[in-house]
Amino acid sequence: MPNALLTFEGVHTHIGPYHILHGVDFAVPEGEVTMLLGRNGAGKTTALRSLMGLWKPNQGRITFAGRDISKLPTPEIARLGIAYVPETMGIFAALTVRENLLLATGPAGFQQDRLDTVLALFPVLGQKFAQAAGGLSGGQKQMLAISRAIIEERRLLVVDEPTKGLAPAVILHLIEAFQKLKAARTTILLVEQNFEMARALGDTVAVMEDGRIVHRGDMAALAADTGLQERLLGLSLAAHQ
Amino acid sequence: MNRLAPYLLLPAVMLAVMPFMSHSSWLALTVAGLAMGMMLFLMASGLTLVFGLMDVLNFAHGGFITLGAYLAVSVLGPLTGWVSSESWALNLLALLAAVLAAAIASGVAGLAFEAILIRRVYGSHLQQILITVGGLIVAGELIVALWGPQPLPLAKPAILRGSFLLFGATIETYRMAAVAVGLVVYAGMHALLNRTRIGLVVRAGVENREMVEALGYRVRRLFVGVFVAGSALAGIGGAMWAEYQELITPSIGGEMTILVFIVVIIGGLGSVSGCFTGAMLVGLAANYVGFLAPKLALGSNIALMVAILLWRPRGLFPVGGK
Ligand SMILES: Nc1ncnc2c1ncn2[C@@H]1O[C@H](COP(=O)(O)OP(=O)(O)OP(=O)(O)O)[C@@H](O)[C@H]1O
Ligand SMILES: [Mg+2]
């Protein structure tokens, strides 16, 4: 197994008075796609927000490239080379598509080759480059959010439920885009309820339930075992297939 | 159309009052209203960004206005020779010195205020209100201790005194100058916000601070800069307002604070364009109503705010989720 780029060890997170994560353990191997699955309310988003420092874990360690990042402020975590696409996408509606992307570039601005690659992946963004992002459709906003995460070279891409609420054709487009990123050996941590997407992309998988990891293994093994799927993911799986 | 409506409001208001007065009165009042609006914009722009970026309600903002006004008095006092000189260069030098001193003093005061009080109360509006209202009271007492409670006079530079005729209307020179300065500052701020990386980060941060931090920007540090710049602008506004009034009292900042909050609320909390439009509306309304129905002048700004909030509950230019 390749080296882990990111690890959670016994991570507990509280949101206000609520104890949400109860000791989360899993690892994201370098150069692979790790799926984080689980039913609604299992704690997937909370785990990603803890990683980004948006909720502060109050116990346990989150290490990135060998360094404990669980107490760092959010901007410092991001600067280590982590790109985050939140469940809510985090698109700046009042800014143009171009400005949304520009925010994620270094001080020198766009590198033409990376911009070309991104716009080749999602040509519609090129057509709407100078328009306010608030006017994009839901699918286009998700494409913009993903583009913003890859417009600069990063070490880890963290994406929270990119297919949520999108039409099947758009989901296929996103799967294709992620397959290209996977082929380029980008390290990705992907939360998803859409099992098709998980099956198509995942190398390894961790499944959450009630703020804990209840299963870890190869994605292919979970994909082949419908009994296990039913037990771990239950109705949410059937509803999304 | 609906999105354009806020931009059309200013010309619409200007045209609407035309039939009720002579052309020369209209022109004079419009210039006076825009001049007042420009100074209000200087005072209010920092406040709206401070709220937009960190959700901080700062009721002590008026303290920076007062400080700027008093600094102008203190600097112009010893420079009487320059102020009343025939030489426009000496006139402008005196004015520049007063405005610079006001900006620096208010900026430094803002830096200290942010470090000592504001950063302790992030996230709690109740604490922010209590601590900034308290800060305003302390600042007021400090001003009285340093400059005394009596009203202080100050003189306009010679070239900005008096008036000139424009299309048959008598226009006060100082008002025209205030309009010019306000436009230059607005243009500069607009360019900074729309043409630079820092401006881009500020605009994004006003909409969604968390995402900006997740993109690696240290928003808290940026906020300190915005707070200091906003305080300095309030100081400049205060200095210009003091010169306009030619007499200041320790309550100058408190009086302007009410108008400044109306401006920020009308414009939409966090919006610089909204702040600009709101400031012009308040300035124009104060002058038009003061001329047409002087008895209503006091309530006119509140009425304006209520009318606009009934039309657009989140202000003329709503920002993000605010
Ligand atoms: N801001 C909050 N305040 C209080 N409780 C919260 C908050 N956010 C999430 N929770 C609770 O934490 C638990 C985990 O939520 P989380 O959003 O992490 O789940 P999830 O696995 O991402 O679910 P989904 O698939 O619906 O996105 C849920 O019980 C949720 O109600
Ligand atoms: Mg979630």
Side-chain angles (χ1 to χ4, degrees):
Chain A
M1 179 164 153
N3 284 336
L5 180 60
L6 175 79
T7 56
F8 275 60
E9 293 165 65
V11 173
H12 288 253
T13 298
H14 292 251
I15 303 178
Y18 307 106
H19 193 166
I20 308 288
L21 298 188
H22 301 264
V24 170
D25 294 276
F26 72 97
V28 174
E30 180 125 43
E32 293 192 356
V33 178
T34 303
M35 301 301 309
L36 185 59
L37 307 182
R39 296 175 224 246
N40 289 89
K44 308 178 295 291
T45 296
T46 307
L48 297 195
R49 287 180 60 87
S50 303
L51 159 63
M52 293 311 294
L54 295 168
W55 301 128
K56 293 286 172 225
N58 37 0
Q59 206 183 308
R61 273 157 56 90
I62 302 175
T63 45
F64 179 74
R67 174 171 175 199
D68 185 359
I69 61 168
S70 49
K71 299 213 164 33
L72 289 184
T74 300
E76 311 309 321
I77 295 173
R79 279 163 180 252
L80 295 174
I82 304 180
Y84 173 54
V85 180
E87 201 169 7
T88 49
M89 298 185 280
I91 294 301
F92 302 102
L95 307 191
T96 63
V97 168
R98 176 181 169 277
E99 287 173 328
N100 268 278
L101 291 172
L102 187 61
L103 267 175
T105 63
F110 290 119
Q111 293 164 260
Q112 196 57 46
D113 55 332
R114 282 199 82 93
L115 182 60
D116 291 343
T117 311
V118 164
L119 294 182
L121 213 50
F122 303 116
V124 65
L125 297 180
Q127 291 150 25
K128 309 224 166 195
F129 208 48
Q131 294 178 23
L136 299 181
S137 71
Q140 290 163 351
K141 280 187 183 144
Q142 191 59 260
M143 293 174 196
L144 177 55
I146 293 164
S147 300
R148 191 172 58 188
I150 59 176
I151 192 76
E152 284 274 310
E153 176 114 42
R154 312 265 185 220
R155 296 191 66 183
L156 173 65
L157 182 55
V158 179
V159 190
D160 197 348
E161 280 200 60
T163 65
K164 195 175 185 177
L166 299 185
V170 183
I171 295 181
L172 284 181
H173 189 166
L174 288 183
I175 292 179
E176 253 173 60
F178 275 105
Q179 262 160 345
K180 285 181 190 155
L181 295 174
K182 179 179 159 86
R185 300 206 54 73
T186 316
T187 310
I188 303 177
L189 172 57
L190 183 56
V191 166
E192 210 17 276
Q193 297 259 16
N194 181 305
F195 199 74
E196 276 316 305
M197 180 138 180
R199 191 205 310 269
L201 295 169
D203 295 306
T204 57
V205 59
V207 180
M208 287 189 80
E209 178 83 70
D210 288 333
R212 292 179 185 82
I213 301 289
V214 291
H215 172 86
R216 271 179 309 220
D218 283 343
M219 188 65 223
L222 179 61
D225 188 341
T226 48
L228 190 58
Q229 287 167 34
E230 178 64 26
R231 189 155 57 72
L232 292 172
L233 301 166
L235 283 176
S236 70
L237 167 62
H240 281 269
Q241 260 184 334
Chain B
M1 180 62 217
N2 211 24
R3 284 192 40 202
L4 277 178
Y7 292 98
L8 298 175
L9 198 54
L10 276 182
V13 166
M14 290 183 201
L15 287 177
V17 297
M18 256 184 150
F20 301 102
M21 53 186 83
S22 70
H23 279 38
S24 57
S25 306
W26 178 83
L27 190 55
L29 288 170
T30 301
V31 171
L34 292 178
M36 181 176 170
M38 292 296 173
M39 290 183 260
L40 277 173
F41 170 68
L42 292 180
M43 298 178 204
S45 52
L47 191 66
T48 204
L49 282 179
V50 158
F51 180 85
L53 207 51
M54 290 296 277
D55 219 7
V56 166
L57 284 169
N58 178 17
F59 282 91
H61 195 69
F64 304 121
I65 299 173
T66 314
L67 185 59
Y70 275 85
L71 250 289
V73 173
S74 288
V75 169
L76 290 178
L79 295 180
T80 314
W82 290 12
V83 171
S84 50
S85 154
E86 294 286 299
S87 148
W88 61 266
L90 285 181
N91 277 193
L92 286 188
L93 266 182
L95 193 63
L96 198 66
V99 163
L100 261 182
I104 292 171
S106 294
V108 170
L111 185 65
F113 193 67
E114 200 283 333
I116 295 169
L117 292 182
I118 297 286
R119 70 177 50 180
R120 282 163 223 280
V121 292
Y122 285 143
S124 163
H125 280 163
L126 182 61
Q127 287 184 7
Q128 286 162 13
I129 292 170
L130 292 175
I131 213 162
T132 59
V133 168
L136 182 62
I137 294 170
V138 172
E141 292 303 318
L142 280 176
I143 298 263
V144 171
L146 287 169
W147 279 280
Q150 74 287 358
L152 297 176
L154 73 167
K156 289 185 182 114
I159 50 158
L160 295 180
R161 285 175 211 159
S163 52
F164 60 94
L165 272 179
L166 182 72
F167 303 118
T170 313
I171 308 286
E172 279 184 39
T173 312
Y174 189 81
R175 289 177 173 165
M176 219 50 190
V179 170
V181 171
L183 279 179
V184 168
V185 171
Y186 179 62
M189 197 182 283
H190 200 270
L192 183 73
L193 282 173
N194 290 290
R195 303 248 175 278
T196 68
R197 174 67 68 111
I198 288 185
L200 179 61
V201 176
V202 169
R203 284 185 293 139
V206 166
E207 213 180 308
N208 183 346
R209 172 176 83 233
E210 198 169 75
M211 191 62 218
V212 172
E213 293 192 321
L215 286 167
Y217 295 100
R218 299 166 177 126
V219 175
R220 285 207 173 193
R221 223 184 263 183
L222 181 68
F223 171 77
V224 174
V226 169
F227 196 91
V228 169
S231 308
L233 281 173
I236 295 176
M240 287 176 62
W241 187 250
E243 284 265 48
Y244 182 50
Q245 299 287 315
E246 297 185 287
L247 190 72
I248 59 169
T249 66
S251 61
I252 183 172
E255 288 155 16
M256 297 314 284
T257 298
I258 300 169
L259 292 183
V260 161
F261 268 88
I262 291 177
V263 162
V264 166
I265 291 168
I266 286 180
L269 288 160
S271 162
V272 171
S273 300
C275 178
F276 186 76
T277 310
M280 296 308 134
L281 273 178
V282 168
L284 287 173
N287 281 275
Y288 291 148
V289 177
F291 176 79
L292 290 172
K295 287 190 180 141
L296 299 182
L298 257 180
S300 68
N301 287 306
I302 306 274
L304 178 69
M305 179 171 77
V306 170
I308 284 183
L309 292 185
L310 285 175
W311 175 40
R312 300 199 155 215
R314 298 196 299 139
L316 293 173
F317 295 83
V319 173
K322 285 167 179 117

